[in-house]
């Protein structure tokens, strides 16, 4: 809303605002919210009160009321980039990445010198699987904040998703070497290693991922293929057994599974798997 006449906060409202801040510090969020609502009744056109209220609602995961409060603050102060960022954060937390991106980008237009917002934009794009654009914004952010570990890890993952394996490998290798304790992308690093045919190292990182996340099916498939590539057939067979227990209809890997069975001399079982694969993919010339 344009042309808003800014109101000075009345003393009574300011006292309640300060009380709310103290209650927030004491983690008495409900009481802090009530104090702010009283302050708003006294000074209903003070954007600062709505901004603080939105933050408190967000802290209590009451995102609907948080959005209402922030949007009211935005009506009163429409050129405040940080209110846009706060709204974007709410949308991001609730999985609405399109709206999150919209508000982050609006903030960028208002305050282009706030470089940290590149991270917000990149994260929204990354979460929305728009990896190509997320790469641009992660790179822009890391030009200013090159040591930000999470951004660099997400950049590596984005490179992998865009099949830029060399850049992904460069990032993963540097991140793991620098800080193995905080490194989280074992699975993706393992997949990248598999794609570069470094099967033994791929096995190491895929195994670490599956220790933490045993239901990560894509990593288990890649681990089975990695064991198969280095002819550790018994271990590959164990992984395929686990895969088909978890997902019996994952027919796309039956051809590789059949090859393994054939290599292990289990020809009858191999033929059955080839037939299942051909039934699902009759136009595949390799089967």
């Amino acid at each position: 809303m344009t042309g808003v006449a800014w109101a000075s906060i009345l003393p009574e409202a300011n006292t309640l605002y300060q009380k709310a801040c103290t209650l927030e510090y004491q983690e008495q969020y409900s009481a802090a919210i009530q104090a702010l609502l009283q302050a708003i009744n006294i000074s209903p056109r003070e954007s600062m009160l709505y901004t603080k209220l939105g933050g408190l609602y967000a802290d209590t995961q009451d995102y609907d009321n948080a959005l209402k409060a922030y949007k009211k603050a935005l009506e009163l102060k429409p050129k405040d980039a940080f209110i846009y960022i706060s709204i974007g954060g709410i949308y991001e937390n609730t999985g609405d990445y399109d709206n999150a991106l919209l508000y982050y980008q609006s903030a960028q237009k208002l305050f282009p010198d706030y470089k940290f917002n590149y991270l917000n934009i990149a994260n929204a794009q990354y979460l929305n699987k728009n990896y190509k654009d997320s790469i641009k914004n992660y790179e822009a952010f890391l030009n200013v904040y090159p040591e930000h570990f999470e951004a660099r890890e997400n950049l590596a993952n984005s490179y992998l998703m865009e099949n830029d394996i060399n850049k992904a490998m460069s990032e993963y290798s540097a991140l793991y070497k620098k800080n193995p304790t905080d490194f989280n992308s074992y699975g993706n690093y393992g997949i990248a290693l598999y794609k570069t045919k470094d099967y033994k190292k791929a096995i190491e990182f895929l195994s670490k991922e599956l220790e933490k996340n045993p239901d990560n099916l894509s990593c288990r498939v890649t681990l089975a293929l990695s064991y198969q590539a280095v002819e550790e057939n018994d271990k590959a067979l164990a992984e395929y057994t686990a895969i088909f227990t978890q997902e019996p209809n994952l027919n796309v890997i039956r051809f590789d599974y059949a090859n393994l069975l054939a290599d292990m001399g289990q020809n009858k079982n191999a033929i059955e798997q080839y037939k299942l694969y051909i039934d699902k993919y009759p136009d595949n010339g390799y089967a």
Side-chain angles (χ1 to χ4, degrees), residues 22-286:
T22 300
L23 289 165
E24 179 188 22
Y25 178 77
Q26 296 170 347
E27 299 184 358
Q28 297 183 48
Y29 298 115
S30 295
I33 287 169
Q34 291 306 311
L36 281 171
L37 291 172
Q38 292 176 47
I40 286 169
N41 282 334
I42 297 167
S43 289
R45 302 195 62 76
E46 178 51 60
S47 65
M48 176 180 68
L49 298 177
Y50 294 98
T51 301
K52 174 60 75 172
L53 181 63
L56 286 166
Y57 279 132
D59 287 341
T60 58
Q61 298 184 335
D62 185 349
Y63 295 125
D64 288 340
N65 278 320
L67 277 177
K68 290 176 185 177
Y70 280 131
K71 288 185 177 181
K72 181 62 179 179
L74 199 58
E75 286 181 21
L76 298 168
K77 204 171 181 183
K79 294 185 178 181
D80 189 327
F82 292 101
I83 299 175
Y84 281 94
I85 290 171
S86 295
I87 294 172
I90 297 297
Y91 280 124
E92 185 178 328
N93 286 336
T94 56
D96 187 345
Y97 306 128
D98 289 332
N99 269 319
L101 181 61
L102 179 67
Y103 277 87
Y104 291 147
Q105 288 175 329
S106 295
Q108 187 182 46
K109 291 176 183 177
L110 288 168
F111 192 4
D113 290 337
Y114 183 58
K115 303 302 183 184
F116 209 89
N117 194 37
Y118 281 113
L119 179 61
N120 295 323
I121 293 169
N123 284 342
Q125 292 166 331
Y126 176 80
L127 290 165
N128 214 19
K129 299 183 179 180
N130 181 1
Y131 301 114
K132 185 175 182 179
D133 287 335
S134 75
I135 287 169
K136 296 175 186 175
N137 285 293
Y138 280 129
E139 288 177 340
F141 173 74
L142 288 164
N143 282 337
V144 184
Y145 301 96
E147 301 302 316
H148 197 284
F149 194 88
E150 181 183 347
R152 198 163 288 283
E153 198 165 19
N154 285 350
L155 174 62
N157 293 336
S158 297
Y159 284 141
L160 177 64
M161 296 304 175
E162 284 294 299
N163 210 33
D164 194 339
I165 304 302
N166 289 333
K167 286 185 178 179
M169 282 293 301
S170 177
E171 293 292 341
Y172 287 134
S173 178
L175 284 167
Y176 185 73
K177 184 176 180 180
K178 183 175 182 180
N179 192 351
T181 303
D182 291 334
F183 188 81
N184 292 309
S185 295
Y186 293 114
N188 284 341
Y189 189 18
I191 290 169
L193 287 161
Y194 172 80
K195 289 187 174 185
T196 62
K197 300 185 179 181
D198 191 346
Y199 301 120
K200 289 187 177 180
K201 198 168 182 181
I203 288 167
E204 174 190 347
F205 282 89
L206 291 164
S207 298
K208 287 180 179 180
E209 171 66 19
L210 289 166
E211 286 175 9
K212 297 192 306 177
N213 301 302
D215 294 331
N216 189 328
L217 192 60
S218 64
C219 285
R220 195 169 293 282
V221 168
T222 310
L223 180 59
L225 293 169
S226 298
Y227 278 133
Q228 197 168 347
V230 297
E231 299 183 352
E232 292 192 41
N233 292 340
D234 288 337
K235 291 181 179 179
L237 182 61
E239 295 302 329
Y240 279 116
T241 301
I243 289 163
F244 288 119
T245 299
Q246 183 179 344
E247 184 51 70
N249 296 319
L250 192 63
N251 295 301
V252 70
I253 64 168
R254 288 194 185 275
F255 184 73
D256 296 295
Y257 180 39
N259 286 342
L260 174 68
L261 292 170
D263 289 342
M264 297 179 75
Q266 298 185 30
N267 295 327
K268 184 178 179 181
N269 288 338
I271 290 169
E272 290 177 2
Q273 296 302 319
Y274 283 131
K275 286 180 177 179
L276 286 170
Y277 183 82
I278 291 168
D279 182 59
K280 294 295 181 181
Y281 306 99
D283 296 327
N284 191 319
Y286 292 104

